[in-house]
């Protein structure tokens, strides 16, 4: 079973089979962060004020010095800073990361005094995909990575105030007095204006909905024909990306818009919420899981879900979805892990 990152600041919510419901807040929202498996977590919130950002001291990276390579970091020398020390080791040229963005990154974390590595994504061969938001990740990450560019390697130290607090994290071997050292390779970043990127695919079937191909971050058009709904699942490329293939067990980061086949009424949209959604394909309706499995990251996909693979006769309350509804989605697959 895949371990959940130790960086999460609180037990993550789980997307339920009613995930693609309405835009109202509450449990079961499609915007909840997905947990991979149980693991130590940090305090749910931090009352600490923003830290002062300083340039050091920071221990040397002695091996694995290239972007994307697993680094080896020396033991911290002397007393660590009481502030958050940040250094851009390799400067990237991509978009600038902002608070509340989702970041995809490889990372290694260790304890200043002992150089004990308590977590790293390089050995798992799967980068972290997480939102830089309070209550989602330890605060030191939020402050250290904001303003950095995609493609950068960033090294930083996090004292307990902006890490796991005075209680530490016993399961990870972190004491309440430990300063932590991280090396983070920022592979990509996404916000509410992110869109698919790839090759536009012709939409020639007059019996299927037509999806807009603009990639300016606005919700695409989604026009449903006045024809009988298909009886089987439809999952067709509108824009075909060139990223890795989504697996059945993947967690995906997406933009999406959902309408009813009958009448074309919109019932859900990340664009309206102005917030991306991350979820596991093992925790959503079968039509979503089957429709996205095998598709490439970077793509926009038309998914038409018959009732048997959707909500059937048990739609989410107050969702605007009637029993035995056929659902139509435009989905931009921004990232997967």
């Amino acid at each position: 079973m895949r371990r959940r990152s130790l960086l999460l600041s609180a037990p993550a919510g789980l997307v339920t089979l009613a995930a693609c419901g309405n835009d109202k807040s509450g449990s079961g929202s499609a915007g909840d962060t997905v947990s991979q498996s149980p693991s130590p977590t940090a305090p749910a919130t931090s009352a600490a004020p923003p830290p002062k950002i300083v340039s050091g001291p920071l221990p040397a990276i002695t091996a694995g010095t290239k972007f994307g390579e697993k680094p080896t970091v020396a033991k911290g020398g002397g007393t660590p800073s009481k502030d958050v020390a940040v250094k851009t080791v390799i400067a990237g040229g991509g978009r600038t990361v902002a608070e509340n963005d989702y970041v995809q990154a490889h990372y290694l974390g260790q304890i200043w005094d002992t150089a004990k590595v308590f977590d790293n994504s390089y050995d798992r061969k799967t980068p972290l995909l997480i939102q830089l938001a309070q209550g989602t990740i330890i605060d030191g990450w939020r402050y250290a990575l904001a303003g950095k560019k995609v493609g950068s390697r960033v090294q930083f130290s996090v004292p307990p105030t902006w890490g796991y607090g005075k209680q530490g994290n016993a399961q990870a071997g972190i004491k309440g007095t430990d300063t932590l050292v991280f090396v983070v390779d920022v592979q990509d970043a996404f916000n509410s204006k992110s869109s698919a990127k790839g090759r536009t695919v012709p939409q020639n079937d007059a019996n299927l909905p037509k999806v807009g191909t603009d990639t300016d971050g606005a919700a695409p058009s989604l026009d449903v024909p006045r024809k009988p709904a298909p009886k089987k699942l439809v999952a067709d490329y509108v824009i075909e990306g060139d990223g890795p293939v989504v697996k059945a067990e993947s967690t995906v980061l997406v933009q999406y818009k959902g309408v009813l086949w009958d009448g074309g009424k919109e019932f859900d949209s990340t664009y309206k919420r102005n917030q991306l959604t991350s979820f596991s394909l093992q925790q959503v309706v079968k039509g979503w899981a089957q429709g996205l499995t095998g598709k490439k990251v970077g793509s926009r996909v038309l998914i038409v879900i018959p009732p048997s693979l959707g909500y059937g006769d048990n739609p989410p309350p107050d969702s605007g979805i009637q029993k035995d509804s056929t659902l139509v989605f435009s989905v931009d697959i921004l990232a997967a892990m």
Side-chain angles (χ1 to χ4, degrees), residues 165-313:
K166 294 180 180 179
Q167 72 271 32
N169 190 315
Q171 189 173 345
I174 298 171
K175 301 191 298 292
T177 56
D178 283 335
T179 289
L180 311 178
V181 178
F182 292 97
V183 176
V184 178
D185 289 332
V186 184
Q187 296 182 327
D188 213 337
F190 310 90
N191 61 25
S192 60
K193 299 301 181 185
S194 296
S195 291
K197 297 179 182 179
R199 177 183 66 89
T200 300
V201 177
Q203 302 176 70
N204 297 324
D205 192 337
N207 295 311
L208 293 179
K210 296 294 184 289
V211 182
T213 56
D214 289 345
T215 56
D216 57 1
S221 58
L222 185 49
D223 299 321
V224 181
R226 294 184 178 179
K227 306 247 178 154
K231 301 297 183 183
K232 295 183 179 180
L233 177 71
V234 174
D236 292 343
Y237 283 121
V238 176
I239 296 173
E240 184 176 359
D242 60 2
V245 171
V246 174
K247 300 177 182 178
E249 67 275 13
S250 292
T251 290
V252 293
L253 179 68
V254 298
Q255 288 265 40
Y256 71 86
K257 173 181 174 180
V259 304
L260 301 174
W261 183 281
D262 292 334
K265 181 180 178 181
E266 182 178 306
F267 62 86
D268 196 12
S269 171
T270 57
Y271 301 94
K272 278 193 173 180
R273 289 196 295 273
N274 202 34
Q275 183 179 12
L276 303 179
T277 288
S278 175
F279 56 79
S280 167
L281 292 188
Q282 296 179 327
Q283 295 170 314
V284 290
V285 295
K286 291 180 180 179
W288 266 80
Q290 294 177 18
L292 294 185
T293 297
K295 295 296 189 286
K296 298 175 185 176
V297 170
S299 299
R300 176 170 295 165
V301 183
L302 165 69
I303 304 179
V304 182
I305 302 179
S308 61
L309 297 177
Y311 298 116
D313 61 359

Side-chain angles (χ1 to χ4, degrees), residues 13 17 26 33 35 49 65 69 85 131 141 143 147 176 180 237 287 298 337:
L17 292 179
T33 303
S35 164
T65 57
E69 290 183 341
Q131 189 177 22
W141 270 60
Y143 295 117
L180 311 178
Y237 283 121
M337 62 173 284

